[in-house]
């Protein structure tokens, strides 16, 4: 995934889908007691949602004033029980107003991540549960940019080069946002050994939230 330049607030979402927790967590579930939210320099806001059978539960963790210079493992005020079949959705907001070029996902501090490191018991074999947009959906976006927007994207180029080839405007940014929200996922549901849990993890549907949490009550 990537973040276009010049954005006051651009959101990326990472999913730990119910299909993964269903095959990786014990029948009694796990208890999360700590959480470390993580992005790099462009991150300004991070929170993780907890969904069960389409119903949004109490949030797992939130930082509306996130700074990569002040990261900490936070003990949750109340431990959270996550059962097999539950989903976790981590949403990160980024500010790239001072950047002239697209920001790619990666390990460098000038690249970006959207991560929640959770601390829980009992120990399980689940090590990594993370999502990316499916290659098919992303290639369709790049093809649209070439055919209809006259951008220098090409199936001969890699993903990073295609992102960098786009001259970003409001419409192209909005279309990318829509693709990220609607496109199926390529999942990694991995054991500590690095092997994936049994299942088909390509073109996994985005977790539906049929009943979101109501907005917090106003205090004034």
């Amino acid at each position: 995934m990537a973040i276009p330049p010049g954005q006051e607030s651009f959101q990326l979402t990472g999913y730990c889908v119910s299909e993964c927790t269903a095959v990786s967590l014990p029948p009694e579930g796990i208890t999360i007691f700590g959480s470390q939210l993580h992005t790099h320099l462009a991150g300004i806001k991070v929170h993780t949602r907890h969904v069960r059978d389409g119903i949004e539960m109490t949030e797992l963790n939130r930082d509306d004033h996130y700074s990569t210079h002040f990261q900490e493992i936070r003990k949750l005020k109340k431990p959270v029980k996550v059962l097999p079949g539950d989903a976790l959705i981590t949403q990160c907001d980024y500010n790239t107003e001072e950047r002239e070029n697209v920001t790619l996902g990666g390990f460098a501090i000038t690249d970006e991540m959207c991560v929640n490191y959770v601390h829980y018991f009992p120990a399980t074999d689940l090590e990594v549960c993370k999502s990316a947009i499916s290659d098919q959906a992303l290639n369709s976006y790049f093809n649209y940019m070439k055919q209809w927007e006259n951008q220098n994207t090409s199936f001969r180029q890699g993903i990073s080069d295609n992102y960098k080839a786009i001259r970003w405007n409001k419409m192209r940014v909005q279309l990318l946002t829509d693709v990220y929200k609607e496109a199926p996922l390529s999942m990694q549901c991995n054991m500590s050994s690095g092997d994936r849990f049994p299942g088909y993890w390509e073109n996994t549907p985005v977790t539906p939230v049929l009943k979101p949490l109501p907005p917090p009550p106003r205090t004034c």
Side-chain angles (χ1 to χ4, degrees):
M1 296 188 178
I3 307 163
Q7 303 302 301
E8 180 180 2
S9 181
F10 187 89
Q11 189 174 89
L12 293 179
T13 304
Y15 296 87
C16 183
V17 295
S18 59
E19 293 87 344
C20 179
T21 64
V23 298
S24 63
L25 298 186
E28 68 277 10
I30 59 172
T31 299
I32 298 176
F33 62 88
S35 164
Q36 181 185 353
L37 304 173
H38 175 74
T39 77
H40 290 172
L41 295 175
I44 56 173
K45 183 187 300 185
V46 189
H47 71 282
T48 296
R49 307 166 73 185
H50 178 200
V51 180
R52 178 176 297 160
D53 297 327
I55 301 173
E56 185 172 3
M57 317 290 283
T58 302
E59 284 183 343
L60 182 63
N61 197 358
R62 172 181 286 268
D63 191 338
D64 286 337
H65 306 279
Y66 179 85
S67 169
T68 193
H69 303 294
F70 185 72
Q71 300 185 46
E72 61 180 357
I73 301 171
R74 296 181 180 174
K75 183 179 179 181
L76 302 184
K77 294 180 180 179
K78 184 178 180 180
V80 175
K81 190 79 168 182
V82 177
L83 301 176
D86 287 4
L88 298 175
I89 304 173
T90 297
Q91 296 179 318
C92 299
D93 289 66
Y94 305 89
N95 181 291
T96 58
E97 288 181 297
E98 297 183 0
R99 299 192 180 191
E100 297 182 356
N101 299 316
V102 68
T103 300
L104 302 173
F107 294 103
I109 192 65
T110 52
D111 296 332
E112 268 306 336
M113 292 185 173
C114 180
V115 179
N116 188 350
Y117 298 103
V118 296
H119 301 258
Y120 66 88
F121 63 88
T124 75
D125 288 333
L126 180 61
E127 176 77 13
V128 173
C129 185
K130 70 177 184 178
S131 67
I133 185 175
S134 74
D135 288 344
Q136 182 179 357
L138 193 54
N139 287 333
S140 295
Y141 174 79
F142 291 143
N143 184 60
Y144 180 90
M145 288 293 105
K146 177 69 173 180
Q147 297 297 323
W148 296 96
E149 293 291 314
N150 198 32
Q151 300 301 291
N152 291 323
T153 53
S154 171
F155 67 89
R156 298 183 183 90
Q157 297 178 158
I159 292 174
S160 297
D161 288 334
N162 274 328
Y163 275 127
K164 292 175 182 177
I166 297 173
R167 300 188 302 272
W168 296 98
N169 61 23
K170 287 185 177 181
M171 192 281 291
R172 293 165 193 159
V173 171
Q174 185 58 53
L175 183 58
L176 181 64
T177 299
D178 294 341
V179 171
Y180 282 164
K181 288 181 179 179
E182 302 296 335
L185 306 172
S186 174
M187 289 299 306
Q188 290 189 35
C189 182
N190 294 1
M191 306 178 193
S192 301
S193 64
D195 297 325
R196 294 191 181 188
F197 281 90
Y200 182 72
W201 302 113
E202 298 300 322
N203 293 315
T204 303
V206 170
T207 298
V209 183
L210 305 178
K211 187 178 180 181
L213 282 176
R218 299 186 64 178
T219 56
C220 61

